[in-house]
Amino acid sequence: MIDDFLDLDPVEAARSTDLFPRDESADPGPSARRLFEARWRVTGDVTVRAQLTTYEPESRRSDNESEVAWVLAAEAERAWEASWPSPATVFWPDSDRVAWDHDRVRGGRLRTANYLPKDDGELRRLLRDCTRQSWFIHVVVHEAMTPDALGRRPVTAFLPPSLRHRVIEHRATPEQALIADFAMKRELGVGLPRGGAVVLPLTPETPGYDAERFTVGDVFLDGTEPTELLEKISEFASLPRPLATDAEQALTRLRQGWHLLTPDEELVHARAMVTRYAEALKAMTASCDLYREAAESAHAALAEAGSGNTPRTPAPAAAEQDTSPLKALTKTLALFRRPDR
């Protein structure tokens, strides 16, 4: 489905040239392993540009030597639609062959139902991390009774493709109703209805979020589509949301450090750079002319001052020399007044 693709070394990708000057915002950092770019089209003519960077795992100790951290930023020519293909599945297979779908917060995976910890301390820590550190939308669903195989399917599977990989679903078992509700009220100020679900708030709080507005009283886990909960998730995803610092940096790298240009885009870029350098040269020439005019004026002023046509003000040293004879006479008379003379 892709139109073009690049596999780049991070150091080379961040290198600056005359034709492609890049600042530090294009540098993915020293822990980056590889950088991939891809371009594809949706709805026929809308271009999507995406950049995937893989990193050494820094924030958490990996139990698997092959595990890496990754960041994916994608941007379209117009507002993104949830029905478009997920950018994640352009780079990763949408299957269990590769476990790419881990959240940066331990205990959360996409495409599956993640059961809450049994320990109260671990549960509260998970809730805090999910709302403060994660880039994803988090939903908690309470199982009123133990579901069958169909009910254990994640409800996020019913979401549109591009929204499906932005949502992490947590499950509370039937016996966790009270402990999960208490922990969520204490940590986040939201409750979990028995047999219901809630979309968790974010920190800092998303404008327009209200706990009751994003709470569903009943979710039937029988394999049927939970329409009301899906509507709440979609509504929450549409709220204005400030980017996390790391996410904003990833988007800046996508925009400032893009390499996968079409021939037409390369031509437009080259012309823009020629115009930019021509304007810079023009500005430098104008500055040189101004400096030359200022230097000529200064030389003319110095020449006029040294010609003698203008009365000169006596220098302090000259004025001091004019008064020195009187001072010498005074010192001489003082010597004659001394008794030993």
Side-chain angles (χ1 to χ4, degrees):
M1 65 176 291
I2 64 174
D3 294 334
D4 209 349
F5 176 81
L6 273 181
D7 177 3
L8 300 165
D9 176 81
V11 176
E12 292 298 323
R15 194 179 304 280
S16 181
T17 64
D18 291 336
L19 185 58
F20 293 96
R22 308 183 194 278
D23 56 23
E24 59 182 9
S25 64
D27 188 354
S31 63
R33 284 186 175 184
R34 300 297 297 175
L35 189 143
F36 305 91
E37 291 183 353
R39 184 180 65 246
W40 64 91
R41 282 169 293 175
V42 291
T43 64
D45 59 347
V46 179
T47 298
V48 176
R49 294 175 176 84
Q51 191 177 75
L52 171 72
T53 309
T54 59
Y55 293 89
E56 300 287 350
E58 294 178 344
S59 60
R60 54 196 175 105
R61 185 173 180 178
S62 175
D63 297 329
N64 186 351
E65 293 182 358
S66 63
E67 183 177 322
V68 297
W70 59 273
V71 173
L72 171 60
E75 188 172 37
E77 291 178 323
R78 64 178 173 86
W80 199 278
E81 296 183 11
S83 60
W84 291 349
S86 168
T89 54
V90 176
F91 293 92
W92 305 112
D94 195 10
S95 68
D96 293 331
R97 287 184 297 154
V98 180
W100 56 266
D101 55 353
H102 289 269
D103 188 8
R104 64 192 302 174
V105 174
R106 275 201 178 277
R109 285 188 63 181
L110 301 161
R111 308 183 300 165
T112 189
N114 304 274
Y115 282 89
L116 295 176
K118 299 294 184 181
D119 181 75
D120 178 64
E122 292 182 11
L123 171 59
R124 289 164 56 186
R125 182 165 50 253
L126 173 66
L127 293 172
R128 288 195 300 268
D129 292 344
C130 288
T131 56
R132 297 175 186 177
Q133 299 180 21
S134 177
W135 295 2
F136 295 101
I137 299 169
H138 291 263
V139 180
V140 179
V141 180
H142 177 248
E143 300 174 344
M145 59 184 67
T146 303
D148 58 12
L150 288 176
R152 288 194 294 271
R153 286 184 56 199
V155 299
T156 54
F158 293 99
L159 290 169
S162 278
L163 185 55
R164 188 179 307 152
H165 295 154
R166 292 180 54 201
V167 181
I168 291 181
E169 177 183 344
H170 303 272
R171 290 281 182 97
T173 58
E175 62 272 15
Q176 283 183 300
L178 293 178
I179 187 173
D181 179 64
F182 177 78
M184 291 171 61
K185 285 180 178 177
R186 181 169 182 177
E187 294 296 332
L188 309 176
V190 299
L192 178 65
R194 184 181 294 272
V198 61
V199 182
L200 299 184
L202 300 173
T203 304
E205 186 173 326
T206 304
Y209 179 86
D210 179 76
E212 293 184 4
R213 178 181 173 186
F214 293 101
T215 300
V216 178
D218 296 298
V219 178
F220 297 101
L221 300 174
D222 55 1
T224 59
E225 184 174 345
T227 307
E228 185 180 3
L229 177 58
L230 300 180
E231 290 176 350
K232 298 293 183 182
I233 295 174
S234 299
E235 183 182 0
F236 182 87
S238 67
L239 293 177
R241 177 182 175 184
L243 286 175
T245 302
D246 293 344
E248 189 171 1
Q249 291 173 352
L251 182 58
T252 300
R253 283 196 301 272
L254 170 65
R255 293 172 174 173
Q256 303 297 330
W258 183 253
H259 303 78
L260 197 58
L261 299 176
T262 64
D264 290 339
E265 290 172 340
E266 290 181 351
L267 181 59
V268 170
H269 176 79
R271 287 174 175 171
M273 292 303 298
V274 169
T275 302
R276 177 179 173 183
Y277 283 125
E279 291 176 350
L281 181 60
K282 183 179 178 181
M284 291 173 60
T285 303
S287 298
C288 289
D289 292 341
L290 291 175
Y291 280 121
R292 185 175 59 253
E293 292 174 2
E296 291 174 353
S297 299
H299 283 302
L302 289 173
E304 184 180 355
S307 63
N309 297 330
T310 305
R312 298 175 62 186
T313 304
E320 186 177 349
Q321 289 177 1
D322 292 341
T323 57
S324 58
L326 177 59
K327 289 183 178 180
L329 179 59
T330 304
K331 289 181 180 180
T332 304
L333 293 174
L335 290 175
F336 282 107
R337 292 194 187 98
R338 289 172 58 186
D340 58 343
R341 292 291 182 181

